[in-house]
Structure formats: C-alpha cells, structure tokens
Amino acid sequence: MNLYELTGDMLKLQQLLENGEVVDTELLNDVLADTTADYEEKIENCAKVYKNLTSDVEGIDAEIKRLTARKKALKTNADNLKARMYDSMKATNTPKVKGKLFTIAIQANGGKLPVIVDVSTDKLPDDLVRIEEKPDLDAIAVYITEHPACGYAHFGERDESLRIK
C-alpha cells in the first residue's frame, strides 16, 4: 500500500472514530496497529529517499562551486591577457594587428556616451533626479508591534516546514 492510500485509510479511521459510531475495539486495535505500522514505515522510507536526494543536491552544489571557481579563474586569466595585449598595443602605438587567424584592433566602444555628473544630486533640477521610494519593512515591523491597529500593515503567518533529523 502506498503513502497516499495509507493517508486515506488513516483519515477514514479518524473520521469513523470522530463520528462517535460504536466500533469493535478488537477490530479497531488490529486495524490501527497495522495501518499505523505501515504508515510509519512509509514515512520513514520517504525520509530515506529525501535524504538521498538532498545528498545528491549537496554533491551538485559542491561541483557547482568547484566549476564556478574554475570559470572565474579562466575568465580572470583571459581578461588579464586581453588587458596586456591592449596595454602593449597602446604603449607601442599599434592600433591594429592583422594575423593569419585574427585581426586585433583598438576601437572605441559603441552605445551611448557615458554621462559623468559633476555635482551632487541636490544641485540638479528635480526633473533630472530619480528618487526611488520603497517601504522600510524593519521600521514597519517595529511600528506595528507598538501600534497593532495602525491599518498600514500587519504581520503575515510564518510558513511551516518538515524537518528530518
């Protein structure tokens, strides 16, 4: 019997008992013992599968960290090599090198020209300043603790989770 069926049987048994119907106690004890043992075994087996899956996730996370570190090192080496080529070509005033496979050239970047603001934002006209407002959740939490009927906000419910030790 699978966990879904056992859960259904447990709920039916609970409903039968809660309805107040007279049930043969010997039969009830036998059914309850069998169903409870099967149910607990299924739950434990599910916990074993869960632990195996989380173990796989931890192994994958470790591999991701290893590959991320390798990727970062390769990118750093490539960026350093490119910077050395750029510095060398600038120092020797060589704007272009045409090779057998590649043409390497120093060119101006495309896109918008960079804008450098020379004054603080309080000296700029209002239509040139973007102000982003967002609620301060920590301050609101303190406020609604002190004023529960404020009407601005309220505390939500905490989620539940299953823990396997």
Side-chain angles (χ1 to χ4, degrees), residues 8-34:
D9 288 350
M10 294 285 279
L11 291 173
K12 286 178 190 173
L13 186 59
Q14 180 180 349
Q15 186 177 12
L16 184 67
L17 294 171
E18 288 175 353
N19 286 341
E21 296 179 25
V22 178
V23 180
D24 178 27
T25 55
E26 188 174 315
L27 176 66
L28 177 64
N29 287 340
D30 290 344
V31 169
L32 189 58
D34 290 344

Side-chain angles (χ1 to χ4, degrees), residues 2 8 13 30 62 83 90 96 100 106 122 150 152 155 157:
N2 64 32
L13 186 59
D30 290 344
K90 282 298 265 187
K96 188 175 193 177
K100 292 180 183 177
I106 296 175
D122 60 340
C150 71
Y152 301 133
F155 288 113
E157 295 293 322

Side-chain angles (χ1 to χ4, degrees), residues 54-94:
T54 55
S55 168
D56 290 347
V57 167
E58 290 167 5
I60 290 170
D61 282 343
E63 187 66 7
I64 287 171
K65 285 180 185 174
R66 184 187 73 78
L67 289 172
T68 300
R70 181 152 192 254
K71 174 186 171 185
K72 183 179 176 185
L74 290 172
K75 180 158 179 22
T76 299
N77 289 341
D79 290 346
N80 288 341
L81 183 59
K82 186 176 179 182
R84 282 195 297 271
M85 290 188 306
Y86 176 83
D87 291 342
S88 175
M89 289 174 70
K90 282 298 265 187
T92 60
N93 199 24
T94 308

Side-chain angles (χ1 to χ4, degrees), residues 9 52-53 59 63 86 89 93-94 111 119 133 143 149 160 165:
D9 288 350
N52 283 338
L53 292 173
E63 187 66 7
Y86 176 83
M89 289 174 70
N93 199 24
T94 308
V119 297
E133 291 185 25
Y143 185 81
E160 293 181 335
K165 295 181 181 181

Side-chain angles (χ1 to χ4, degrees), residues 127-138:
D127 58 333
L128 299 180
V129 177
R130 183 182 309 161
I131 298 174
E132 185 176 321
E133 291 185 25
K134 62 182 184 176
D136 182 349
L137 297 181
D138 293 331

Side-chain angles (χ1 to χ4, degrees), residues 3 6-7 36-50 162 164:
L3 183 61
L6 284 169
T7 302
T36 303
D38 287 345
Y39 178 75
E40 289 174 355
E41 183 180 340
K42 290 288 182 186
I43 289 291
E44 178 141 9
N45 286 338
C46 286
K48 290 175 186 175
V49 171
Y50 170 82
L162 183 70
I164 300 174

